[in-house]
């Protein structure tokens, strides 16, 4: 890191009783990734007008901050957050640290390592404050991950008065990877945001991403197909199997989604995935074969930038049937299996 990469002035502001000064992440030098600026409902992941045209689930879940990140650099030995929440999801099969918690990563010896979680109280109503002591060590780069299943309207980061604050490290100079799919895509049921499979891939390959996973609501409507086709991206990951309500719906909509995308982006690589189920039943096998069939159809048309990941084999890397919390949604082990599957393909592409 060069001296000019951070503000030469000491952090200014009125410290609280703990000696911390807070700044809104909308202020420089903080940089936010994966989210659109907060409006009256909070931070969101896609154009709200388009989300409303899809279905009520997408319109609501758009304000869940899955995939959101903030990057910055500081020499403060304490990092704190003040989060203003507009809603949160309390689910019996997902840790609160994943649904409404934040977690923090620090760059060390060329890679980002987990430094701790900002843990919300069980009785959270409209926000919370939490701190992590990262110790002394000079200017360091940090990434703060947003909650996967909660809505955030405002976020402030607190640092020790007198510490330095600078711009964080930038991602690789390429457009983000865009992921579209179900609750699994959104991050259910990772124990914390940094363990969602896209976030693991982003850390591994240093590529920005946008998470367009919508729990129970990814149904490939025309409005969504058109929106995805017009997004600027380096790679499109289509993780759409789970939310097609029937096999016939999948057979009808998946080819349209891919064809719509290809008309606008003929060269952008596409990765198609079937659901991560290591012991698929008859319906799940038919769905996998449908996804693979669309992939093979594109190959037959001469599409050289399309790839297929067989979801029935994903969790065999490590955990098999130990990789979910409920037979469907991955736990952290399952998400690591998914991440490995995706990054191995992305490494070939980039």
């Amino acid at each position: 890191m060069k001296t000019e990469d951070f503000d030469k002035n000491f952090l200014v502001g009125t410290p609280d009783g703990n000696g911390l000064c807070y700044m809104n992440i909308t202020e420089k030098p903080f940089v936010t990734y994966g989210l659109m600026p907060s409006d009256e409902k909070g931070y969101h992941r896609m154009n709200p007008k388009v989300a409303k045209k899809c279905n009520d689930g997408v319109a609501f879940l758009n304000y869940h901050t899955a995939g959101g990140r903030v990057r910055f650099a500081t020499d403060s030995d304490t990092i704190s957050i003040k989060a203003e929440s507009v809603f949160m999801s309390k689910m019996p099969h997902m840790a609160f640290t994943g649904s409404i918690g934040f977690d923090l990563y620090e760059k060390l010896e060329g890679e980002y390592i987990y430094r701790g979680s900002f843990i919300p109280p069980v009785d959270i109503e409209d926000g919370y404050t939490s701190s992590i002591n990262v110790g002394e060590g000079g200017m360091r780069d940090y990434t703060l991950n947003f909650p996967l299943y909660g809505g955030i309207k405002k976020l402030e980061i607190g640092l020790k008065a007198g510490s330095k604050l600078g711009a964080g490290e930038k991602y690789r100079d390429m457009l983000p990877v865009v992921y579209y799919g179900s609750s699994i895509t959104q991050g259910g049921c990772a124990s914390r945001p940094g363990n969602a499979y896209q976030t693991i891939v982003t850390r591994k390959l240093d590529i920005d991403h946008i998470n367009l996973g919508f729990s129970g609501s990814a149904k490939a409507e025309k409005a969504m197909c058109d929106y995805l086709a017009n997004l600027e991206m380096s790679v499109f990951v289509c993780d759409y199997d789970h939310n097609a309500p029937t096999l016939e719906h999948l057979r009808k909509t998946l080819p349209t989604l891919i064809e719509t995308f290809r008309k606008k982006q003929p060269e952008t690589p596409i990765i198609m995935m079937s659901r991560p189920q290591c012991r698929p039943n008859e319906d799940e096998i038919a769905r996998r074969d449908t996804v693979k069939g669309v992939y093979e159809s594109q190959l037959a048309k001469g599409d050289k930038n399309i790839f297929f990941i067989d979801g029935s084999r994903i969790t065999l890397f490590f955990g098999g049937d130990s990789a979910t919390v409920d037979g469907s949604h991955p736990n952290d082990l399952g998400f690591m299996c998914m991440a490995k599957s995706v990054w191995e393909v992305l490494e070939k592409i980039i």
Side-chain angles (χ1 to χ4, degrees):
M1 178 175 293
K2 299 177 182 179
T3 304
E4 58 266 28
D5 290 336
F6 58 86
D7 191 343
K8 297 178 182 178
N9 298 317
F10 289 118
L11 186 66
V12 295
T14 303
D16 65 8
N18 296 313
L20 297 173
C21 298
Y22 285 86
M23 291 179 64
N24 195 311
I25 62 166
T26 59
E27 300 179 57
K28 292 181 178 180
F30 296 113
V31 180
T32 303
Y33 298 88
L35 297 173
M36 294 183 176
S38 181
D39 60 18
E40 69 278 1
K41 293 183 180 179
Y43 285 95
H44 48 285
R45 296 178 280 152
M46 66 177 289
N47 186 316
K49 293 181 179 179
V50 178
K52 288 181 181 179
K53 292 180 181 179
C54 296
N55 60 67
D56 290 342
V58 172
F60 172 66
L61 294 165
N62 184 28
Y63 287 89
H64 288 207
T65 54
R69 285 146 286 133
V70 180
R71 283 190 149 188
F72 60 97
T74 186
D75 64 350
S76 178
D77 63 2
T78 300
I79 297 175
S80 182
I81 64 164
K82 283 184 181 179
E84 182 178 327
S85 305
V86 286
F87 53 82
M88 65 286 303
S89 300
K90 294 186 177 182
M91 297 176 283
H93 62 326
M94 184 170 180
F96 218 26
T97 45
S99 62
I100 194 61
F102 294 76
D103 60 12
L104 184 70
Y105 283 77
E106 174 192 327
K107 188 174 185 182
L108 181 66
E109 297 180 352
E111 62 179 316
Y112 279 85
I113 63 166
Y114 172 65
R115 290 308 309 269
S117 295
F118 298 95
I119 300 175
V122 175
D123 58 353
I124 180 176
E125 294 183 358
D126 56 6
Y128 67 103
T129 300
S130 180
S131 297
I132 296 174
N133 188 320
V134 295
E136 298 179 355
M139 291 293 288
R140 289 165 286 178
D141 287 292
Y142 292 95
T143 300
L144 175 69
N145 295 304
F146 272 72
L148 298 167
Y149 272 80
I152 302 297
K153 189 170 185 178
K154 181 181 179 181
L155 177 64
E156 295 179 307
I157 293 178
L159 306 172
K160 277 290 183 69
S163 61
K164 295 185 180 74
L165 171 64
E169 184 178 57
K170 295 181 180 180
Y171 287 107
R172 187 183 299 205
D173 186 18
M174 58 188 294
L175 292 170
V177 176
V178 173
Y179 298 82
Y180 174 65
S182 67
S183 55
I184 293 175
T185 316
Q186 187 173 332
C189 295
S191 67
R192 51 185 177 80
N195 284 342
Y197 81 87
Q198 306 92 338
T199 314
I200 297 172
V201 173
T202 283
R203 286 197 305 276
K204 172 75 174 179
L205 301 181
D206 191 36
I207 305 172
D208 187 18
H209 78 273
I210 298 172
N211 184 326
L212 295 180
F214 300 101
S215 187
S217 303
K219 298 178 181 179
E221 299 89 346
K222 183 179 185 304
M224 180 60 77
C225 293
D226 291 341
Y227 183 78
L228 290 167
N230 285 284
L231 275 181
E232 291 188 336
M233 65 183 78
S234 63
V235 180
F236 175 40
V237 180
C238 183
D239 181 15
Y240 165 56
D241 179 2
H242 262 290
N243 284 170
T246 65
L247 176 58
E248 288 307 311
H249 184 95
L250 182 66
R251 287 172 173 168
K252 179 180 179 180
T253 57
L254 183 58
T256 301
L257 171 59
I258 300 303
E259 290 166 7
T260 301
F261 186 85
R262 268 291 172 252
K263 287 179 182 178
K264 287 287 186 177
Q265 303 197 40
E267 300 297 331
T268 301
I270 300 172
I271 299 175
M272 303 181 68
M273 302 173 65
S274 59
R275 64 178 62 182
Q277 177 56 262
C278 67
R279 293 188 177 88
N281 59 31
E282 184 176 342
D283 179 68
E284 290 165 337
I285 291 172
R287 286 171 175 265
R288 179 201 63 192
D289 291 346
T290 296
V291 177
K292 187 176 182 181
V294 175
Y295 157 73
E296 291 174 340
S297 176
Q298 286 299 122
L299 287 180
K301 295 176 185 177
D303 191 340
K304 298 180 180 179
N305 287 317
I306 194 161
F307 306 85
F308 172 70
I309 296 175
D310 184 345
S312 67
R313 304 193 61 79
I314 286 175
T315 60
L316 300 181
F317 285 127
F318 303 121
D321 57 9
S322 298
T324 76
V325 298
D326 54 7
S328 177
H329 296 91
N331 53 26
D332 292 346
L333 177 61
F335 276 126
M336 178 58 75
C337 293
M338 292 188 72
K340 185 176 186 295
S341 296
V342 173
W343 85 52
E344 287 181 344
V345 178
L346 282 173
E347 283 180 321
K348 298 176 183 177
I349 293 172
I350 64 175

